[in-house]
């Protein structure tokens, strides 16, 4: 893609936030690659930063082997989190906040020091983590009917929407990330169960991948950053009136409550 086409694609996505999902970018721009998609994502990030939005974290997607197989990829992707994307557990989330909301449970990291690749190891990542906390990521798509390819979701800020964090932080030596289990409920009904090992074998592996990927682009994750390493279970719809709760073994619970209107 030409730079002008990348900018055009970014503008289409920015316009979609006003309430009208768009067709897949890969159907509009022939030959769009993941590299093009990251350029489109970063063009939007620059637009948002110019208008005062503040980056305070990152999300990793496509960490499930099943989802990777579905999209025909063999690695995760990432998106940016902004300070205005966070909601309190249990607070009413406006129905107009998202286009096609879905929710998924994640074991979120909060960093106590900067983490920069390339060359980040498991030990480096562990040393950079302040604590973990239960979370629900609200994923959303500006692509109509979630008809996405890898390039579409990368361009769309990795389908980022919002974040709900729990209130029980725990140090890494207090939990086993691989075996930490979760039950995911929607409107009181148990929908899915899972454990941290669903995320690349361990969520810390996802953090290592992200640090090295961002490092290759010249970006450092700063102290205080929130990192969502990937979903522990499949996602569930977050329609108006829905309540989604994730109950983590030893890490507490977190709830996303979608207002009726």
């Amino acid at each position: 893609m030409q730079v002008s086409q990348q900018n055009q694609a970014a503008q289409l996505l920015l316009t979609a936030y006003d309430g009208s999902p768009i067709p897949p970018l890969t159907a509009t721009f022939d030959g769009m690659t993941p590299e093009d998609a990251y350029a489109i994502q970063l063009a939007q990030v620059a637009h948002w930063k110019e208008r005062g939005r503040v980056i305070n974290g990152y999300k990793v997607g496509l960490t499930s082997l099943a989802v990777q197989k579905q999209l025909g990829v063999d690695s995760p992707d990432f998106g940016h989190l902004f300070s205005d994307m966070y909601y309190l557990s249990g607070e009413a989330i406006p129905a107009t906040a998202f286009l096609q909301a879905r929710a998924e449970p994640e074991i979120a990291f909060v960093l106590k020091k900067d983490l920069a690749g390339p060359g980040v190891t498991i030990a480096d990542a562990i040393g950079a983590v302040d604590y973990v906390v239960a979370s629900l990521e609200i994923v959303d798509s500006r692509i109509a009917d979630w008809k996405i390819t890898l390039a579409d979701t990368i361009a769309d800020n990795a389908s980022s929407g919002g974040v709900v964090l729990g209130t029980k932080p725990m140090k890494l030596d207090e939990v086993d990330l691989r075996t930490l289990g979760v039950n995911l409920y929607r409107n009181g009904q148990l929908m899915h169960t899972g454990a941290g090992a669903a995320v690349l074998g361990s969520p810390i592996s996802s953090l290592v991948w992200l640090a090295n990927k961002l490092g290759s682009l010249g970006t450092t994750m700063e102290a205080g950053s929130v990192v969502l390493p990937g979903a522990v279970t499949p996602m569930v719809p977050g329609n108006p009136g829905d309540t989604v709760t994730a109950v983590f073994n030893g890490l507490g619970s977190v709830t996303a409550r979608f207002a009726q209107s």
Side-chain angles (χ1 to χ4, degrees), residues 60-171:
V60 183
L62 306 180
T63 54
S64 159
L65 293 178
V67 174
Q68 288 184 8
K69 183 176 181 180
Q70 178 184 1
L71 293 180
V73 300
D74 59 3
S75 69
D77 69 347
F78 75 87
H80 294 71
L81 302 177
F82 291 84
S83 59
D84 57 5
M85 293 172 63
Y86 290 79
Y87 296 89
L88 297 176
S89 181
E91 80 167 300
I93 299 171
T96 57
F98 306 105
L99 300 178
Q100 307 173 95
R102 300 179 182 183
E104 53 190 27
E106 307 201 17
I107 303 166
F109 295 108
V110 178
L111 303 185
K112 62 184 176 184
K113 64 180 183 180
D114 293 356
L115 187 61
V120 168
T121 66
I122 290 284
D124 296 329
I126 290 172
V129 173
D130 191 2
Y131 57 86
V132 295
V133 65
S135 74
L136 282 168
E137 181 185 1
I138 304 170
V139 290
D140 197 11
S141 182
R142 274 54 64 176
I143 305 299
D145 302 318
W146 278 90
K147 292 182 177 178
I148 58 173
T149 66
L150 172 63
D152 289 303
T153 187
I154 290 173
D156 190 21
N157 197 25
S159 302
S160 295
V163 184
V164 185
L165 295 179
T167 58
K168 186 180 179 182
M170 297 188 73
K171 299 294 185 180

Side-chain angles (χ1 to χ4, degrees), residues 178-260:
R178 294 187 71 258
T179 61
L180 198 157
V182 62
N183 290 337
L184 182 65
Y185 299 86
R186 177 174 179 249
N187 300 327
Q189 180 179 356
L190 178 63
M191 303 299 292
H192 300 291
T193 63
V199 183
L200 297 180
S202 171
I204 202 74
S205 298
S206 180
L207 181 60
V208 171
W209 177 87
L210 178 63
N212 287 321
K213 179 66 174 180
L214 287 172
S216 72
L217 300 172
T219 299
T220 295
M221 286 189 286
E222 298 180 347
S225 293
V226 174
V227 177
L228 302 181
V232 179
T233 76
M235 64 182 71
V236 296
N239 298 324
D242 283 345
T243 297
V244 179
T245 297
V247 181
F248 290 81
N249 184 24
L251 201 58
S253 64
V254 58
T255 294
R257 183 168 67 88
F258 297 90
Q260 185 67 54

